[in-house]
Amino acid sequence: MDVITWYLEQRSPGALVPARPPRLPVEVVRAEVPSPEFSRFLYTAVGGDWQWTDRLSWTYDQWMTYLTRPGVETWVAWHRGTPAGYVELDPQPGAQVEIAYFGLLPYAMGGGVGGHLLSSGTARAWDLATRWPSLPETRRVWVHTCSLDGPAALANYRARGFEVYDEKRDEPGDVDEGTTPGPWPGARP
């Protein structure tokens, strides 16, 4: 099967189209203390069934080095004290911010949490320099998603005002589509 990767962007804060309030009550809070344990938990809990494997081999020190870079932020959606999803912001050269990771835990899918979290995370990407004075004002927010990600991912990005600026198609065999790493393969409701 071909794997398609879409690259999407916003070029101004006014491009953000906020989502309707979610059906599940959630609070989006920044995880201000760099925690490799918590970040790895979010990474595997959200991405384990979507072939997110590039960080599985990271050591504690690699996580900490990444998480303590100026401007790297993790924003977590909480539902009744339980993580529902997260968005990770990674500042890039040229006044750009990448939404490096974004997604929901299985129980939170389908309740409007994804749109709300993406709206919140994108707004935080646009105002990143207000929390990190050493960074320039954001001029572009970008993200990529692929056909292996959740079925609502691309539509959610587009609904929030992101526009596709590039598309890449990998030939069969170029991308590992094997068994997902979990946290429990096949545990989706």
Side-chain angles (χ1 to χ4, degrees), residues 24 62 77 148:
L24 289 178
Q62 287 173 302
L148 296 176

Side-chain angles (χ1 to χ4, degrees), residues 13-183:
L16 175 59
V17 179
R20 292 177 289 165
R23 291 184 293 282
L24 289 178
V26 295
E27 181 182 11
V28 180
V29 178
R30 180 176 160 211
E32 293 187 47
V33 177
S35 171
E37 300 90 346
F38 186 51
S39 290
R40 191 175 196 286
F41 159 76
L42 291 169
Y43 176 82
T44 59
V46 169
D49 283 339
W50 306 114
Q51 278 79 24
W52 291 9
T53 58
D54 55 318
R55 292 187 179 178
L56 291 178
S57 64
W58 278 20
T59 65
Y60 181 93
D61 289 339
Q62 287 173 302
W63 277 101
M64 186 58 85
T65 297
Y66 175 78
L67 294 170
T68 56
R69 285 183 40 236
V72 169
E73 292 185 347
T74 302
W75 290 84
V76 183
W78 294 90
H79 170 64
R80 296 174 45 199
T82 304
Y86 81 112
V87 59
E88 183 183 279
L89 306 178
D90 183 9
Q92 307 277 307
Q96 302 179 72
V97 177
E98 178 186 7
I99 295 176
Y101 287 94
F102 164 77
L104 303 177
L105 277 79
Y107 84 88
M109 292 179 180
V113 175
H116 177 70
L117 177 58
L118 183 57
S119 294
S120 296
T122 303
R124 297 300 65 83
W126 281 114
D127 66 16
L128 190 68
T130 64
R131 292 179 303 283
W132 297 91
S134 65
L135 296 178
E137 185 176 325
T138 303
R139 295 188 181 178
R140 177 177 178 252
V141 177
W142 70 279
V143 64
H144 73 274
T145 189
C146 75
S147 54
L148 296 176
D149 283 339
L154 182 60
N156 190 16
Y157 291 123
R158 286 181 163 156
R160 301 292 69 77
F162 283 89
E163 295 183 6
V164 174
Y165 69 89
D166 195 11
E167 182 176 305
K168 177 183 168 190
R169 184 177 301 270
D170 290 303
E171 298 298 321
D174 287 350
V175 176
D176 179 13
E177 299 172 47
T179 304
T180 59

